Amino acid sequence: RSRVVVALLTLGLLAAALLLALSPRRSAPSSVELRSPGAGLQEKVQTDGRTQLVVEQDLSKFITPASLPLRAVPGGGGSLVPQAATHLFEHVVHESGLGDELTHAELGAFKDRFIMGMIESDNANKYWAGDYIKTSQQLLESSKPVMTNALAESWNEAQQGFTVKMEDWMIDESVASFQSRLGRQDLPKTGKLLERTREKNFGELRSRDALPAAFDSREAWPACAGVIGKIHNQGRCGSCWTFGALGPLDSRLCIKTNATFSGNSAMLSRG
């Protein structure tokens, strides 16, 4: 019996050795992962003929339980909240490399918005400690700048057919404030609008004549160039659809009246 047991054990060991030899080899994981500033967003994301900047990507992934400050307890109230928010913000900037992309003023405005948002969240909800990470992640994304000097340069270098300029007032514009202006609601997905559009007689639009390679309505109606090319500042109004709709109406009124409806005051009320 002892010889049989030994033989079985030997066969078992040989089978195990054979399985190990045939299985794909994997390198042993490193016990220490060395990270340099900005290592988290080294992956280049191509979009619209250009590489996405750091500020356009998801920064919230840098806020994890390991990144929370040890002494500033979330939800502790008082001065601990801005201390913890400052720690988190500086951690994200260091890990993402965001500091190399934003100007000093842009980074400062972003930081102020994030810290103020954290303070207001703490004051509004005394039970927020359990959702501290989620809250800070959401505030980080919503308080990001919607436009920066580097972003304007990136778009202009991509040569998309338009020029982007970073204005001074844009430094205080965040993703949240920008989205608050997008007030148009989604159209019902019933197909009725498309059906009604197809029933219309578009006349010359059905012509097979070749479209011009370029067309600028400001050149076609130079007397109305000021009205057609006027750019309206929407301010903090959330009715983007109103501005989008009335711009063409202003232009058509000018054209229809042979530029009688023109000048700085030639605009229908947006309010």
Side-chain angles (χ1 to χ4, degrees), residues 180-192:
S180 68
R181 294 170 175 79
L182 308 181
R184 188 187 73 81
Q185 298 179 354
D186 292 336
L187 295 174
K189 299 179 181 180
T190 60
K192 292 183 179 180

Side-chain angles (χ1 to χ4, degrees), residues 137-177:
Q137 288 175 333
Q138 292 174 345
L139 282 173
L140 184 69
E141 284 297 299
S142 64
S143 60
K144 287 196 308 186
V146 73
M147 175 57 68
T148 67
N149 282 281
L151 189 56
E153 293 178 3
S154 175
W155 276 109
N156 292 334
E157 290 175 358
Q159 298 182 353
Q160 297 292 311
F162 55 86
T163 302
V164 178
K165 181 182 179 181
M166 172 67 180
E167 298 286 356
D168 293 338
W169 60 269
M170 294 181 181
I171 195 171
D172 295 319
E173 289 297 318
S174 65
V175 171
S177 63

Side-chain angles (χ1 to χ4, degrees), residues 70-107:
L70 296 178
R71 298 183 61 185
V73 181
S79 62
L80 295 181
V81 175
Q83 288 178 7
T86 300
H87 172 94
L88 285 176
F89 186 84
E90 293 176 350
H91 168 79
V92 171
V93 170
H94 178 269
E95 290 295 313
S96 65
L98 190 62
D100 297 331
E101 183 179 291
L102 301 185
T103 65
H104 179 74
E106 292 168 350
L107 194 63

